[in-house]
Amino acid sequence: MTFLNLILLQTDGVIPAFLLIFFLFFIGIVLLVIAAKTIKIVPQASVMLIERLGRFSKVAASGLNILMPFLDKPRAVYWTNTRGGITSIDLREQYIDLPPQPVITRDNVTIHVDSVVYWQITDPVKAVYEMNDLVGGIVQLTITGMRAVMGDMDLDHTLSQRDQINAKLRIILDEATDKWGVKVTRVDVKNINPPEDVRITMEKQMTAERNRRALVLQAEGDRQAAITRAEGEKQAAVTRAEGEKQSAILAAEGAAEARQRNAQGEAQAIALVAEAMHEHGNPAEYLITTRYIESLRDMTKGNNAKVIFMPVETASMLSSVGAIKEMFSDSGAKSPDDPNKPPPPRQLR
């Protein structure tokens, strides 16, 4: 016999059966509700703020958590760009992609800048109770900080110094959100879009600057080429001069050595002549006479040598030649006159 039949027998049919079924169903729903309010499962890298009778009680970490039903209640948050009424707070690093915002630079040029902010909740209690709309507050701080930083810079600096802009924005946001329990890890400026007329002017300016750089580089290259060419010519001239110097030195040394050898040979010949004529004549007179005859021979070799002027001492010279010839014939030495030499000119005037 079932539990329902027992109840019906005890009540003698006074309570209808459907009322009993409704009562049991109500009891089951109440138990389910109590269980749902008692047991809370929090995902990994998330926390849940528990309030007891409207006052902060504890932080429910990830995993299984047991609450006091109808007394403990998770705190719901309503932030911009998030699903309203969520009770789980994400502790992972998150980002906010800001749409293009108008910014006026110091030189009164309106540009549109879009950026990305990376942030992370470090203290969930402060993030919920110190700021009503945490995400919206970060967005507004980023916009105002961007306008403050870029408002102190010229257009050219805003386009070329993005790293400095990112660093300054991160410092401003990190200092402002510290009391909210938030850490701003990075701020990146994605795009900076100037007006169309300013963009065209900048392109023309950039083209002119590139042409100027090209001309400067070409002139610098020509100058370096000229310097290199001059250095090469200088080195070639120095090398050529060194070569000529060495050649002249070698030629002079060769001529000097030849003259020394000729002098040595002549000295040996003179010594032999002096030894041969030691008893029969003067060697100096013999040498002078020999040089005289060789000079006359050289004078008669030319085609235009038709007339030869003989000095007054010719007769004495010829007599000396005869004496020398007789001396060699008496001593048995060879005559200094070479039979292969051409005879002296016969016609003398």
Side-chain angles (χ1 to χ4, degrees), residues 16 19 52 78 96 102 110 140 150 174 184 189 196 217 243 260 267-268 281 292 310 342:
L19 291 178
R52 179 170 294 179
Y78 299 87
I96 301 174
T110 302
Q140 296 302 321
M150 293 188 176
D174 195 23
V184 177
V189 176
E196 186 66 20
L217 291 176
Q260 290 178 1
Q268 292 177 1
Y292 210 169
M310 298 296 293

Side-chain angles (χ1 to χ4, degrees), residues 206-222:
M206 183 59 65
T207 302
E209 181 66 20
R210 288 177 179 174
N211 292 333
R212 184 187 69 82
R213 291 179 182 177
L215 294 176
V216 169
L217 291 176
Q218 184 177 1
E220 184 68 20
D222 295 340

Side-chain angles (χ1 to χ4, degrees), residues 16 20 41 48 126 137 212 234 254 261 270 277 279 327 345:
L20 182 59
I41 298 176
M48 186 178 297
K126 291 183 178 180
R212 184 187 69 82
K234 175 183 175 182
R261 293 191 177 184
I270 292 173
M277 297 181 63
E279 298 178 356
M327 178 185 65

Side-chain angles (χ1 to χ4, degrees), residues 48-222:
M48 186 178 297
L49 302 183
I50 306 300
E51 295 180 344
R52 179 170 294 179
L53 299 177
R55 186 177 181 180
F56 172 73
S57 176
K58 64 178 181 178
V59 177
S62 58
L64 179 63
N65 294 272
I66 305 298
L67 307 180
M68 295 291 294
F70 305 106
L71 296 179
D72 294 341
K73 178 182 179 182
R75 174 63 184 265
V77 295
Y78 299 87
W79 293 342
T80 303
N81 297 330
T82 58
R83 183 169 55 86
I86 61 173
T87 58
S88 179
I89 300 175
D90 196 347
L91 299 180
R92 296 174 297 177
E93 187 174 356
Q94 307 176 56
Y95 73 92
I96 301 174
D97 190 0
L98 296 178
Q101 301 294 326
V103 178
I104 300 177
T105 60
R106 186 171 60 180
D107 48 357
N108 295 325
V109 178
T110 302
I111 57 178
H112 289 80
V113 183
D114 56 339
S115 59
V116 180
V117 180
Y118 296 88
W119 57 282
Q120 185 178 10
I121 296 177
T122 57
D123 191 344
V125 178
K126 291 183 178 180
V128 174
Y129 293 105
E130 295 293 337
M131 184 62 183
N132 183 25
D133 187 356
L134 181 62
V135 178
I138 295 175
V139 170
Q140 296 302 321
L141 275 177
T142 305
I143 294 174
T144 55
M146 187 183 302
R147 289 176 179 175
V149 172
M150 293 188 176
D152 293 335
M153 304 174 65
D154 296 333
L155 178 61
D156 294 337
H157 292 165
T158 58
L159 296 175
S160 61
Q161 298 180 1
R162 294 194 179 188
D163 292 338
Q164 296 182 5
I165 295 174
N166 296 336
K168 291 181 180 179
L169 282 176
R170 190 191 64 80
I171 293 174
I172 292 174
L173 294 178
D174 195 23
E175 292 178 353
T177 57
D178 182 60
K179 64 179 181 180
W180 299 344
V182 175
K183 175 67 176 178
V184 177
T185 58
R186 186 174 178 180
V187 179
D188 288 334
V189 176
K190 294 197 302 182
N191 296 313
I192 299 177
N193 299 320
E196 186 66 20
D197 53 347
V198 176
R199 186 184 63 80
I200 294 174
T201 304
M202 291 175 61
E203 290 179 356
K204 292 181 180 179
Q205 181 181 0
M206 183 59 65
T207 302
E209 181 66 20
R210 288 177 179 174
N211 292 333
R212 184 187 69 82
R213 291 179 182 177
L215 294 176
V216 169
L217 291 176
Q218 184 177 1
E220 184 68 20
D222 295 340

